[in-house]
Amino acid sequence: MSAPTVTRGQDTAPRSRGEQVASAPLLQRLAGSPWSFLLPFLLVYGAFLLWPLLRGFWLSFTDTALNGSGGAFVGLANYAEALGDPMMWNALGNTAFFTVISTVPLVLIALAMALLVHSGLPGQWLWRLSFFLPFLLPVATVALVWKFLYNQDFGLINQFIGFFGGEGVGWLSDTGVAMWSIALTTVWWTVGFNFLLYLAALQSIPDHLYEAAAIDGAGAWARLRSITLPQLRGTTVVVCVLQLLASLKVFDQIYLMTMGGPQDSTRSLLLYVYDVGFTGYRFGYSAAVSYLFLAIVVVISIVQLRLAARRRA
Amino acid sequence: MAVDTATRPAPPGPAPRARAQRGETARRQRSLVLGPGPVPRILGMAALIAMAAIWLLPMVWAAATSLKTEQDAVALPLSWIPETGFTLEQYRAMFAEGDVQLWMFNSLVIAVAVTALTVVVSAPAAYAFSRTAFRGRRTLFVLTIAAIMVPPQLMIVPLFEQMAALNLVDTYAAVILPQLVMPVIVFILKRFFDNIPRELEEAARMDGATNWRILVSVVLPLSRPILAATSIFVFITAWNNYLWPFVVITDPALMTLPVGIPNVLDSYGTVNAMQMAQSVIAAAPMVIVFMLFQRQIVRSVATTGLGGQ
């Protein structure tokens, strides 16, 4: 393992030469070898990622309970149960719905914000602060503040609607509205991250492209369509991939704002996994639902990366 | 922690020439979406002001409410400035309880430990992937990157079981250890290390330096901006982390700030002004971090975002 191998590809890192002479004592050789650099990371990776992942996979074939009782191998029974479980399908549907209604605005609003801020209007610092700051707030704070804003009787939003003569809305108590409210909070909370990604991408578009366009007499709209948006394509792919994964994983804000209610209308898949495992005490079944979810995430990721690679090629 | 971001080797970005030209063409380039003349600029400005107002409003409202008495907080019609004036009553009551100080201390210990240990664990690994050769390097790197796809929330059940078996439930270690697996940090550092010129390393090697020596004396000092950016990113993530500390800590004395605040609120009943005061206290450290490290945070988001590529 001390023999330098030649690797091909863009990240070729050649030769750890010289010092690894065959006659050196084993310990000394190990101390200088690449494995000594990897050891700490591989330890935590193995202990706190690989092991729980494999353990969870095993649990999904058992009827283990939270208190450690049970544990008998039940084969695919948990998976079969999950596929016939209306609560699981409801949670999956809620998750898909949330993903759609949060991802679209989280990409489009971030792009609009970045384009406007990059237009050279004064006040850069203030815009960046306003749009990004919420992203830094702990979810507990975000949830408390928005629950207060959404309050049906003395919440700021219903007061505002009432001021214009409108009827108050049950933002978190109406089954048809609650998930939209969660999505609105999520957009407010996290759009700043995507906004900064777009802003960084805008700043790295080479100026000469715009100079050439200016010589050709291209207007603002033409420049946006033929230079800016195509140049942002790579970033858009990244933003969409990250955002989809983040939205699928929604848990914290729902748990803190509605606990999955009213009437399970905001119960996301991860919330269901949590409920089954920690409230229902069914670790095995909870693990099976987890793995169904992971399979979905992996398939979506691979499809997205394939599409992105094809578009770039 | 003053970091000079300009003079260090940077990941692929605008070429120096393009940067030099930026001044001349800045005005032209900036009119990306806005056409010529004052009207589009005024409209753009109006849109920005409206959006910024919407984005700031919830935070300002929370801060204003935290300075009211309980009656004023829910007095209809709502007003920004209460009739009886602002008061620090909520803050005084909160700190008198003592829990908030404790949670803040726990959060700080955990976030600092996670940040420091993540760098200690990730930087050598990134160095191995970037600048050494060994069999299985590519496979191992792909496995590392693939871990980015795994939602950490999925592992709470087996992780909790593991912590229970190790008798670590309700300890700092239980909160810290699982957060040290940050493949995205390894990926970002590797990309940065890839761009450090070989010549610097070669010179050190001529002087008989070992790989560890090169990492510590050559690579890490050159990587200060990216280390600062990733550290801030890890710190913020660890400070704001909710689900895992919530699951693995049940003792109120060991809770982190974001976990403790909503968890213990029930004991007060519905007290909105107090809740807003607690929200402000939970958020304040991050706001201060942002004010101090704005440039590094912006940079860290730009690079961590690219990490998904």
Side-chain angles (χ1 to χ4, degrees):
Chain A
M1 95 186 162
S2 60
T5 43
V6 179
T7 38
R8 253 171 270 148
Q10 46 176 345
D11 48 15
T12 311
R15 77 244 132 181
S16 51
R17 47 161 90 133
E19 77 270 11
Q20 287 165 352
V21 190
S23 62
L26 183 69
L27 214 76
Q28 210 175 318
R29 268 169 59 200
L30 201 67
S33 95
W35 294 98
S36 69
F37 291 80
L38 286 166
L39 196 65
F41 181 73
L42 291 183
L43 278 179
V44 292
Y45 182 92
F48 304 113
L49 192 118
L50 212 53
W51 168 253
L53 212 55
L54 294 174
R55 174 74 189 157
F57 192 56
W58 166 252
L59 282 177
S60 72
F61 297 104
T62 71
D63 63 358
T64 309
L66 178 66
N67 57 13
S69 68
F73 185 81
V74 295
L76 290 170
N78 285 330
Y79 288 93
E81 186 186 341
L83 290 178
D85 178 357
M87 282 292 284
M88 199 284 289
W89 288 108
N90 171 55
L92 188 60
N94 288 341
T95 307
F97 179 63
F98 173 82
T99 302
V100 171
I101 63 170
S102 64
T103 300
V104 173
L106 274 167
V107 174
L108 294 182
I109 294 176
L111 177 62
M113 283 174 165
L115 286 171
L116 276 172
V117 170
H118 193 64
S119 297
L121 295 166
Q124 292 271 331
W125 185 85
L126 178 68
W127 314 131
R128 227 166 41 183
L129 177 88
S130 317
F131 300 148
F132 184 66
L133 200 56
F135 181 75
L136 293 178
L137 305 185
V139 64
T141 294
V142 172
L144 278 181
V145 169
W146 279 85
K147 264 168 88 173
F148 188 54
L149 290 171
Y150 282 143
N151 188 294
Q152 203 152 359
D153 304 319
F154 47 82
L156 191 62
I157 301 178
N158 273 358
Q159 283 291 307
F160 184 76
I161 293 172
F163 182 76
F164 290 100
E167 190 77 8
V169 178
W171 295 99
L172 295 173
S173 55
D174 187 329
T175 50
V177 180
M179 196 56 115
W180 289 94
S181 306
I182 301 272
L184 180 64
T185 301
T186 308
V187 169
W188 177 83
W189 180 29
T190 61
V191 75
F193 185 82
N194 296 345
F195 155 72
L196 279 190
L197 287 184
Y198 271 124
L199 198 59
L202 281 172
Q203 282 161 357
S204 65
I205 297 177
D207 289 353
H208 63 78
L209 293 179
Y210 291 106
E211 284 161 35
I215 292 166
D216 292 345
W221 178 242
R223 284 200 299 270
L224 178 69
R225 272 199 45 191
S226 57
I227 301 174
T228 311
L229 293 184
Q231 288 284 318
L232 289 178
R233 190 167 291 163
T235 306
T236 302
V237 170
V238 171
V239 169
C240 288
V241 171
L242 292 179
Q243 192 53 59
L244 259 169
L245 289 179
S247 287
L248 285 170
K249 295 192 298 194
V250 63
F251 176 93
D252 295 0
Q253 61 269 47
I254 296 181
Y255 184 83
L256 286 163
M257 289 171 78
T258 64
M259 291 286 267
Q263 288 163 43
D264 297 321
S265 64
T266 60
R267 193 168 309 279
S268 73
L269 205 57
L270 278 178
L271 209 66
Y272 187 54
V273 166
Y274 178 84
D275 286 342
V276 171
F278 283 88
T279 318
Y281 302 117
R282 297 187 59 198
F283 270 18
Y285 184 59
S286 157
V289 179
S290 299
Y291 272 83
L292 287 177
F293 178 64
L294 184 61
I296 295 170
V297 168
V298 169
V299 167
I300 290 176
S301 305
I302 290 172
V303 168
Q304 276 190 316
L305 292 175
R306 279 276 157 80
L307 287 177
R310 193 176 303 162
R311 204 176 298 166
R312 218 175 298 162
Chain B
M1 199 136 133
V3 175
D4 182 357
T5 45
T7 59
R8 306 293 177 195
R17 211 171 127 258
R19 213 177 282 159
Q21 287 175 343
R22 175 158 288 174
E24 306 160 27
T25 54
R27 196 166 303 155
R28 205 175 299 150
Q29 191 200 346
R30 277 171 185 164
S31 52
L32 278 181
V33 273
L34 307 180
V39 175
R41 282 179 69 82
I42 291 169
L43 287 178
M45 200 67 184
L48 273 176
I49 291 171
M51 279 203 281
I54 294 171
W55 254 259
L56 286 174
L57 194 118
M59 290 184 281
V60 176
W61 180 246
T65 305
S66 77
L67 294 169
K68 295 176 184 175
T69 62
E70 198 51 50
Q71 295 90 310
D72 284 334
V74 292
L76 297 175
L78 298 174
S79 72
W80 287 85
I81 299 161
E83 269 174 38
T84 49
F86 288 120
T87 167
L88 285 172
E89 185 189 311
Q90 309 300 341
Y91 291 91
R92 220 172 285 135
M94 177 170 56
F95 281 107
E97 294 267 326
D99 286 341
V100 168
Q101 293 93 309
L102 203 58
W103 296 333
M104 204 177 261
F105 176 77
N106 293 336
S107 279
L108 195 67
V109 169
I110 287 166
V112 167
V114 169
T115 307
L117 291 173
T118 300
V119 172
V120 167
V121 162
S122 305
Y127 179 82
F129 284 130
S130 170
R131 307 189 76 96
T132 68
F134 58 93
R135 202 182 302 158
R137 187 178 68 122
R138 254 194 116 71
T139 316
L140 213 52
F141 188 61
V142 169
L143 279 178
T144 304
I145 298 311
I148 294 172
M149 266 194 301
V150 181
Q153 295 95 328
L154 271 194
M155 285 179 301
I156 49 170
V157 166
L159 262 181
F160 181 81
E161 193 203 41
Q162 188 183 3
M163 291 303 157
L166 293 169
N167 244 332
L168 287 177
V169 173
D170 271 330
T171 64
Y172 280 157
V175 187
I176 294 167
L177 288 171
Q179 296 194 67
L180 302 183
V181 192
M182 287 248 190
V184 72
I185 301 299
V186 175
F187 181 71
I188 292 163
L189 290 178
K190 179 202 177 280
R191 272 168 52 120
F192 190 87
F193 292 170
D194 284 346
N195 286 312
I196 293 175
R198 299 258 164 230
E199 294 75 32
L200 296 169
E201 189 185 338
E202 294 298 329
R205 222 176 273 289
M206 297 281 227
D207 295 338
T210 62
N211 275 337
W212 278 102
R213 179 102 220 136
I214 288 167
L215 172 65
V216 172
S217 325
V218 180
V219 172
L220 289 184
L222 286 172
S223 309
R224 267 170 32 205
I226 199 76
L227 289 173
T230 48
S231 297
I232 292 165
F233 181 80
V234 176
F235 183 86
I236 293 168
T237 309
W239 181 283
N240 288 347
N241 196 355
Y242 176 75
L243 180 58
W244 177 243
F246 169 72
V247 165
V248 84
I249 297 291
T250 55
D251 178 0
L254 283 167
M255 284 177 179
T256 59
L257 198 53
V259 176
I261 279 181
N263 202 55
V264 177
L265 273 179
D266 295 341
S267 58
Y268 293 98
T270 313
V271 279
N272 296 282
M274 171 66 96
Q275 287 184 353
M276 292 306 109
Q278 290 174 318
S279 299
V280 168
I281 289 297
M286 292 300 100
V287 176
I288 293 166
V289 165
F290 181 75
M291 298 296 183
L292 290 176
F293 300 109
Q294 203 190 148
R295 202 163 48 144
Q296 284 84 354
I297 288 173
V298 169
R299 187 193 171 90
S300 84
V301 169
T303 45
T304 45
L306 290 175
Q309 221 167 17

